[in-house]
Amino acid sequence: MYAPKPGFQPDWKLLSTVPRAPDQPRSGAIFTVEGNRWLVCLASMGEDHPPTDDAGFLEFARSLPVAKVHESLMNAEPLGPIYRSGSTENRLYHYEKLRRFPESFVLVGDSVCAVNPLYGQGITNATLGALALAEELTRQRDRRPQGDLQGLGARFQKRLARLNKDVWMRATGADGAWPQTRGLKRPGSPLRDAPKRALRAYADLLLEVAASQPEVARLLVEVGHMVRPSYDVLRPGPLLRVLVHRLRAHQPA
Ligand SMILES: Cc1cc2nc3c(=O)[nH]c(=O)nc-3n(C[C@H](O)[C@H](O)[C@H](O)COP(=O)(O)OP(=O)(O)OC[C@H]3O[C@@H](n4cnc5c(N)ncnc54)[C@H](O)[C@@H]3O)c2cc1C
């Protein structure tokens, strides 16, 4: 946590830089929170851990491709120690495949599907799972008004498995762009990998457009936080904006 120095007026509410595979793993974000304080996160990929001492933290911020994170931190004071988390793995348990499932028992949230926190989707996904559980409980009550929970657990785990597919594809798809990522099944041929590479290239272009077009930035934030479905980025509106962006980039000065 940081506090801006008296008199410093940032021209942003939330400052965020994004990593770009495969060469630019470092990213940083500053969120303004209660009490005029800043929640500051620095991140990277693989073994490139951000330091937890103040000087090293600032130096890491200075290495980001966008100078504003470092400039802003130079105008702020640390309010406490820096904490580091290294739990960036994606983990999915297939409880839905158990042949026998205990009655009156369910698993939800990270206990089933935990994804790299860098993408900020775990709480949303756990909440979607809790909402699905609420619906299943209502259905169960309608079916068995006497309060019997028989069959609920197994049915819910199957539904949750379908729900988890989205966040799992997003997180493993994004991590798959990094050569440092371990444990992924790499595709056998460049041809099979082509759609994924095309999507990643398109996502990079969308990020470029988002830097100057608030509508696209909003779209990416909403898709990133699972408020909108992933396929919204492939609608004609954003596709057209990317196309225009590319055409302008190739116009002679
Ligand atoms: C560093 C970091 C940053 C993150 N940032 C974001 C973010 O910005 N946005 C986002 O959406 N997600 C983020 N996540 C992911 C998010 O925190 C998790 O996906 C979410 O908290 C999962 O909720 P949960 O209830 O399943 O598990 P948890 O929040 O982990 O809750 C499980 C609880 O069970 C308790 N517990 C464990 N074992 C026992 C036991 N034996 N008996 C009793 N209690 C027990 C634990 O103490 C804990 O309180 C982040 C995760 C990390 C590690």
Side-chain angles (χ1 to χ4, degrees):
M1 299 294 291
Y2 279 72
K5 287 180 183 166
F8 180 67
Q9 293 288 343
D11 58 355
W12 47 263
K13 285 184 187 162
L14 187 164
L15 189 56
S16 172
T17 77
V18 287
R20 198 163 191 172
D23 307 318
Q24 205 183 89
R26 295 187 169 189
S27 61
I30 307 182
F31 307 86
T32 43
V33 296
E34 302 86 348
N36 193 31
R37 293 172 304 161
W38 296 349
L39 173 64
V40 183
C41 296
L42 298 181
S44 191
M45 297 286 168
E47 302 301 315
D48 181 31
H49 303 297
T52 52
D53 62 287
D54 289 332
F57 197 74
L58 276 180
E59 199 48 37
F60 189 98
R62 202 163 68 88
S63 73
L64 295 176
V66 177
K68 212 164 220 179
V69 176
H70 180 250
E71 284 166 12
S72 301
L73 290 181
M74 293 302 284
N75 284 291
E77 300 282 0
L79 293 175
I82 296 161
Y83 297 97
R84 180 160 68 200
S85 168
S87 58
T88 54
E89 74 272 9
N90 301 293
R91 178 175 35 75
L92 178 64
Y93 288 113
H94 290 284
Y95 293 110
E96 79 283 3
K97 290 190 176 161
L98 286 177
R99 263 192 247 126
R100 287 186 302 125
F101 195 81
E103 292 296 348
S104 303
F105 183 76
V106 291
L107 297 111
V108 72
D110 274 16
S111 67
V112 181
C113 178
V115 291
N116 188 344
L118 188 61
Y119 308 118
Q121 294 171 333
I123 297 172
T124 308
N125 200 48
T127 308
L128 290 172
L131 289 172
L133 179 58
E135 279 181 26
E136 287 300 332
L137 281 166
T138 306
R139 278 175 63 191
Q140 184 81 5
R141 196 182 48 206
D142 294 345
R143 280 182 191 172
R144 298 173 182 261
Q146 69 280 19
D148 176 358
L149 292 177
Q150 204 186 351
L152 172 91
R155 200 174 62 242
F156 171 69
Q157 297 310 147
K158 286 194 171 60
R159 176 168 174 176
L160 188 67
R162 289 194 295 277
L163 195 69
N164 282 336
K165 270 187 189 159
D166 183 32
V167 78
W168 182 254
M169 295 287 290
R170 288 167 182 245
T172 56
D175 280 349
W178 299 91
Q180 298 94 323
T181 302
R182 291 193 298 261
L184 281 179
K185 282 184 202 147
R186 304 272 177 198
S189 74
L191 198 62
R192 275 179 63 191
D193 196 23
K196 271 190 189 163
R197 275 189 285 122
L199 271 177
R200 282 182 195 138
Y202 176 66
D204 280 348
L205 287 171
L206 264 179
L207 278 169
E208 276 177 26
V209 177
S212 59
Q213 299 192 24
E215 300 85 355
V216 178
R218 175 179 285 272
L219 169 72
L220 288 186
V221 169
E222 290 180 349
V223 167
H225 289 280
M226 302 172 74
V227 180
R228 294 172 69 163
S230 315
Y231 54 75
D232 271 8
V233 299
L234 295 171
R235 291 196 186 279
L239 277 167
L240 197 63
R241 285 171 189 268
V242 164
L243 189 66
V244 171
H245 173 74
R246 288 303 283 168
L247 289 174
R248 284 201 183 130
H250 282 98
Q251 263 173 9

